[in-house]
């Protein structure tokens, strides 16, 4: 049976179209006026955008993560995503004490029939000691074509050396994949960390130990590796005005480089760390306020391609366990549920982005970069019927932990609120969120990907 959402302002590749959108068997059938079919909702002029695509979530794998156990597994992360209009998520799988990277990938694929509320794909994260050639080959066989590495956190045992990164890029290119890089400089960070410890650690020590110049260096160095190996490169964070400027130069030169940033780097600053200590610690660090305008400009003009969340909730107890800011754990962001709402309220409503750009940076570009477009990321005939409805006017919602991850006990976004929460979310033609409540079946699909033919 054909079903219809009526009277929306539909954000399509060609612009905003006022009218109806119909779908059948989970796929968009038509966009126009007075379409035939069963009415799901008359949205009365609300904005209708493609379902959000958030490719950057960290989840607990059988109770294990890179360091401390995370509060959300695949199931919990998917529910958090849907509350903010994200219908497709990309989650990281990595080696755990009981599984190789490939075994972790296989285990998460197997959860497809176990009640996952969103559609999902997997990114393989490689650390020192992983067999790069075996991991890439086996993961690609299972539909994984995005491979992450880090050029930071040397003392934590997470930084690949340059030769290993080049090998990873070579192997990723061979399967038509993309290498994802957390770009800093692990050796320099360790040096600056030691300097701060000698001078006496305060909350201000964190930003000084990981300055923006190290992001610039890490991006420039790994971009050179991508040119040498012929591999597509995607930076999973861009946090600084220096990084944004470099991206412009790299793209102008023809390098196959793309990048994302997170909503917290656009709205929050190092003041969160100075005020809240470990609760404001994310990696890379929140920067000083003078970086924010440049990041917004880069997002609007396409130097930064899209947003993601770096969703990685941890408990208040875990975040406050260390004696000082330098030893405190990274992450802990409950962000997938606020990525699209804040892009709408802080981007579109405040004139930093057009509504079409909101769709691009929260859905379309991520779908293209991660190989799931046009199945995902667009309102178009033949694409999956993943829709987000955001009313023009609605109350401000405070972004406390109660609204994002109650079990965490704190929120990175507690100083913010949004009037961009979705009133209706449809995934695969079925209503999955209505008036803030999750409804319907949790029958999300694993999205296997392949490289170019």
């Amino acid at each position: 049976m054909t079903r219809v959402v009526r009277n929306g302002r539909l954000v399509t590749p060609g612009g905003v179209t006022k009218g109806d959108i119909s779908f059948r068997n989970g796929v968009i059938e038509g966009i126009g006026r007075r379409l035939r079919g069963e009415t799901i909702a008359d949205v009365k002029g609300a904005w209708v955008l493609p379902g959000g695509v958030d490719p950057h979530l960290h989840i607990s794998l059988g109770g294990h993560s890179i360091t401390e156990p995370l509060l959300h597994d695949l199931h919990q992360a998917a529910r958090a995503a849907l509350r903010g209009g994200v219908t497709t998520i990309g989650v990281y799988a990595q080696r755990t004490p009981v599984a190789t990277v490939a075994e972790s990938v296989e285990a998460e694929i197997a959860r497809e029939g176990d009640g996952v509320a969103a559609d999902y794909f997997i990114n393989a994260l490689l650390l020192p000691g992983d067999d790069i050639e075996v991991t890439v080959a086996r993961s690609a066989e299972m539909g994984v074509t995005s491979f992450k590495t880090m050029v930071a956190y040397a003392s934590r045992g997470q930084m690949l050396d340059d030769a290993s990164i080049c090998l990873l890029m070579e192997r990723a290119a061979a399967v038509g994949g993309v290498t994802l890089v957390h770009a800093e400089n692990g050796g320099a960070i360790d040096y600056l960390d030691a300097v701060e410890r000698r001078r006496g650690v305060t909350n201000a020590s964190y930003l000084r130990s990981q300055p923006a110049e190290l992001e610039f260096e890490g991006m420039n160095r790994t971009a050179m590796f991508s040119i040498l190996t012929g591999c597509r490169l995607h930076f999973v964070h861009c946090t600084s005005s220096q990084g944004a400027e470099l991206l412009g130069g790299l793209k102008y030169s023809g390098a196959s480089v793309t990048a994302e940033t997170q909503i917290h780097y656009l709205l929050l600053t190092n003041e969160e760390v100075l005020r809240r200590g470990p609760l404001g610690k994310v990696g890379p660090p929140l920067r000083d306020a003078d970086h924010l305008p440049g990041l917004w400009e880069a997002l609007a003009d396409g130097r930064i391609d899209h947003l993601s969340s770096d969703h990685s909730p941890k408990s208040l107890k875990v975040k406050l366990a260390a004696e000082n800011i330098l030893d405190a754990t990274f992450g802990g962001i409950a962000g997938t549920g606020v990525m699209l709402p804040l892009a709408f309220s802080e981007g579109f409503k405040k004139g930093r982005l057009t509504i079409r750009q909101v769709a691009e940076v929260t859905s379309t570009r991520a779908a293209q970069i991660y190989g799931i477009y046009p199945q995902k990321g667009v309102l178009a005939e033949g694409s999956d019927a993943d829709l987000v409805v955001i009313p023009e006017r609605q109350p401000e919602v405070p972004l406390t932990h109660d609204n994002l991850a109650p079990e965490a006990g704190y929120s990175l976004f507690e100083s913010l609120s949004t009037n961009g929460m979705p009133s209706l979310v449809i995934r695969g033609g079925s209503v999955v969120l209505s008036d803030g409540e999750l409804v319907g079946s949790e029958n999300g699909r694993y999205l296997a990907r392949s490289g170019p033919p």
Side-chain angles (χ1 to χ4, degrees), residues 46-109:
W47 298 102
V48 182
L49 293 92
V53 177
D54 181 358
H56 192 150
L57 291 84
H58 296 278
I59 59 172
S60 180
L61 304 166
H64 300 283
S65 67
I66 304 172
T67 52
E68 303 85 4
L70 297 163
L71 290 175
H72 283 180
D73 62 11
L74 177 60
H75 303 84
Q76 294 159 310
R79 295 178 194 126
L82 286 180
R83 290 189 177 94
V86 170
T87 54
T88 301
I89 57 177
V91 299
Y92 284 100
Q94 67 274 332
R95 183 181 76 233
T96 75
V98 296
T100 65
V101 183
E103 289 168 343
S104 293
V105 167
E106 189 171 17
E108 294 309 304
I109 292 171

Side-chain angles (χ1 to χ4, degrees), residues 181-225:
V181 170
H182 173 132
E184 293 184 272
N185 184 306
I189 288 172
D190 285 351
Y191 164 74
L192 293 172
D193 181 280
V195 169
E196 292 300 321
R197 291 176 190 275
R198 288 196 299 269
R199 70 192 294 180
V201 177
T202 67
N203 287 344
S205 299
Y206 178 48
L207 183 58
R208 289 199 297 259
S209 72
Q210 295 187 218
E213 289 79 5
L214 300 188
E215 177 175 81
F216 180 96
E217 191 280 332
M219 292 172 68
N220 193 56
R221 176 162 45 100
T222 52
M224 179 185 67
F225 297 161

Side-chain angles (χ1 to χ4, degrees), residues 244-315:
E245 295 227 0
L246 176 62
L247 284 169
L250 291 172
K251 290 190 174 190
Y252 181 78
S253 73
S256 184
V257 170
T258 53
E260 67 193 45
T261 192
Q262 282 87 37
I263 199 73
H264 45 277
Y265 294 119
L266 294 167
L267 297 173
L268 300 176
T269 71
N270 187 50
E271 290 300 316
E272 297 293 319
V273 182
L274 299 179
R275 180 172 62 88
R276 305 180 72 190
L279 300 186
K281 183 179 181 179
V282 297
L286 298 170
R287 304 297 180 188
D288 290 330
D290 56 358
H291 290 273
L292 272 58
L295 291 173
W296 277 109
E297 289 171 12
L299 186 66
D301 67 26
R303 283 173 290 156
I304 296 175
D305 294 86
H306 68 84
L307 293 172
S308 68
S309 69
D310 208 355
H311 186 78
S312 54
K314 295 178 180 178
S315 70

